[in-house]
Structure formats: C-alpha cells, structure tokens
Amino acid sequence: MDFTHIEAILAVLGDVNGDESVTMADANAVVNYYLATDKPEDFDVESADVNGDGGITMADANQIVNMFLGGGK
C-alpha cells in the first residue's frame, strides 16, 4: 500500500489558530467567534471547545487564558 498521500490533521486543544502553541491569540479568536453574528465556517471548533460542552463560549476563552498562563486545562 502507498501511504504517501495520507495527511493527518491533529487538533491541539486550545490551539485555535493552528500555530502549534496556546497563546492569548487563541483566546482572542474564541472571543471574536463567540461575539460574531456570522460564524466563520473554517473556525476550529474542535480545538476551541476546551471544556468539551459542545459550544464555544467565554468559558472556553477563559480556560485558554488559564492554559496560556500555566493553569492547565
């Protein structure tokens, strides 16, 4: 079998912008998504829902801030 064309996409919890680190930019992206009336289709909902409740809310943004500051998940 030829596996050269398989691309793995792994979501990192809290890394909303996909830069391989959890920063305030990720928390800001969640806040902007939460406040937006037109939700962008390409938003990484899987990485943004850090509390696992199925919705993107300010609680997720707060948890991302805590992750960035070293408070864990």
Side-chain angles (χ1 to χ4, degrees):
M1 296 191 141
D2 182 10
F3 294 101
T4 58
H5 291 87
I6 296 175
E7 182 178 327
I9 299 175
L10 302 174
V12 176
L13 196 61
D15 180 22
V16 180
N17 62 10
D19 67 355
E20 299 181 9
S21 62
V22 178
T23 66
M24 291 302 294
D26 299 300
N28 288 336
V30 170
V31 170
N32 290 337
Y33 180 85
Y34 175 73
L35 295 175
T37 52
D38 293 323
K39 309 291 187 202
E41 292 181 23
D42 62 343
F43 187 77
D44 188 354
V45 174
E46 186 177 337
S47 294
D49 185 18
V50 293
N51 64 9
D53 68 354
I56 307 303
T57 64
M58 293 302 291
D60 296 301
N62 288 336
Q63 281 190 267
I64 291 172
V65 169
N66 287 337
M67 292 167 71
F68 172 69
L69 295 175
K73 192 171 123 175

